[in-house]
Amino acid sequence: MLAWGNHLSAGGSVEGDGRELVHRLRDLLRSIRLIKQRRAEEQPGIPLGLVGILSQIDGLADGCHARELALRARLDPSTVSRAVAALVAHGLIERRPDPADRRAQVLAVTPDGRTALADTHDWYARLLDRALAGWNADEVAALGAGLHRFTRDLEVALENHDNLEAAR
């Protein structure tokens, strides 16, 4: 088992001190927080912290139930409930009767929500274009592939830890 701060090389041996990676991750999280704050100032159509949830709802052609959204987003149902209330209050999503069960409601993105989401995605794209202006296509592709692998492997590590804890 590896101690925190070490990492495996491609050959599988423990190599070096991962503290530098910890610092880079902290820098990345700070940058993400700053990006969110700037986006809220410059592109306030979607309240701070709700772009991801709005995107999740938008990604489902027929909308979704709040409990399904909580599962997909891996969020606590109470967090989703507050987010949904804020998105409804801003006119970005609406609650519609579920055609299969009139007692239930389906969440769907409104036209204003789609416009705000498109504007927000454009804002992020412009920011990334500026930030990566000095990078070549291979560097950008390598960053994307590395981030994809890292987030996937991190989720697996977290799930394995949760499964080990549940088994104890």
Side-chain angles (χ1 to χ4, degrees), residues 57-120:
I57 298 168
D58 190 50
L60 302 168
D62 297 328
C64 65
H65 295 102
R67 74 178 171 282
E68 177 188 359
L69 180 58
L71 289 172
R72 285 178 171 274
R74 296 183 182 180
L75 293 171
D76 185 81
S78 64
T79 300
V80 170
S81 179
R82 287 189 301 276
V84 165
L87 290 168
V88 168
H90 283 84
L92 302 173
I93 65 170
E94 61 187 0
R95 294 180 173 105
R96 296 179 183 162
D98 183 340
D101 180 359
R102 291 287 179 186
R103 297 168 296 166
Q105 294 179 328
V106 174
L107 306 172
V109 178
T110 64
D112 286 348
R114 279 202 173 69
T115 299
L117 197 54
D119 291 346
T120 298

Side-chain angles (χ1 to χ4, degrees), residues 28 128 132 135 137-150:
L28 177 61
L128 290 175
L132 300 174
W135 295 41
D138 289 340
E139 291 171 322
V140 173
L143 175 63
L147 285 173
H148 176 73
R149 179 178 177 191
F150 175 70

Side-chain angles (χ1 to χ4, degrees), residues 24-74:
R24 297 299 64 88
L25 288 172
R26 190 176 315 129
D27 292 345
L28 177 61
L29 291 172
R30 184 183 66 236
S31 294
I32 290 169
R33 187 181 71 250
L34 294 171
I35 290 167
K36 284 180 169 184
Q37 290 170 347
R38 178 70 61 89
R39 201 264 320 148
E41 294 166 6
E42 294 180 8
Q43 195 68 40
I46 303 172
L48 191 60
L50 299 182
V51 172
I53 290 178
L54 185 59
S55 293
Q56 287 271 337
I57 298 168
D58 190 50
L60 302 168
D62 297 328
C64 65
H65 295 102
R67 74 178 171 282
E68 177 188 359
L69 180 58
L71 289 172
R72 285 178 171 274
R74 296 183 182 180

